[in-house]
Amino acid sequence: MTAMELQQWKKNFVEDYLDEIDDLEVLEKIKKYVKRVIPKKENPRPCVVHSQEEMIAAVREAVEDVKHGRIISSEDLEKEMETWF
C-alpha cells in the first residue's frame, strides 16, 4: 500500500466510522484501545554517546577548570548562546 493509499484509507475510515459516532463514551473507549495497540515510540538516543570513563574525565576536567578560574560568567554565556541561534 502506498502512502497515498494509506492516507485515503484512513480518511475513509474516519468518514465511515468515527464521524458516525455521537457518543463520547464510545469515542473514549476507542481512544483507549488505540493507545494500547499503537506501538510506543522510543525516545531517540542523544546524537553523542559517551562512555562512563569519558563522562568521569569530563567532570574531572570541569572541576580543574573551576579550580584554576577557567570559567565564564552567566551573562557572558548568555551572550554567547544568543549567537548560536
Side-chain angles (χ1 to χ4, degrees):
M1 179 179 287
T2 66
M4 287 179 56
E5 290 171 331
L6 179 60
Q7 285 301 107
Q8 186 60 48
W9 190 95
K10 288 193 262 184
K11 182 177 181 252
N12 291 342
F13 179 82
V14 169
E15 290 172 357
D16 294 344
Y17 297 100
L18 297 181
D19 284 348
E20 298 298 318
I21 300 172
D22 293 328
D23 186 344
L24 183 59
E25 190 174 316
V26 171
L27 289 170
E28 286 293 333
K29 287 179 182 179
I30 293 170
K31 181 180 175 182
K32 285 180 184 178
Y33 178 73
V34 169
K35 283 184 175 183
R36 284 197 321 238
V37 297
I38 292 178
K40 293 186 185 208
K41 294 180 181 176
E42 293 183 24
N43 291 334
R45 294 186 61 95
C47 58
V48 177
V49 179
H50 300 287
S51 68
Q52 183 176 2
E53 293 81 14
E54 290 172 320
M55 290 187 285
I56 291 170
V59 170
R60 287 186 175 142
E61 183 180 345
V63 169
E64 287 298 313
D65 285 344
V66 171
K67 283 181 183 177
H68 293 94
R70 297 184 296 256
I71 58 173
I72 184 171
S73 69
S74 296
E75 293 83 14
D76 290 341
L77 177 59
E78 287 176 13
K79 287 177 188 174
E80 182 181 329
M81 287 170 53
E82 287 175 10
T83 65
W84 298 351
F85 303 101

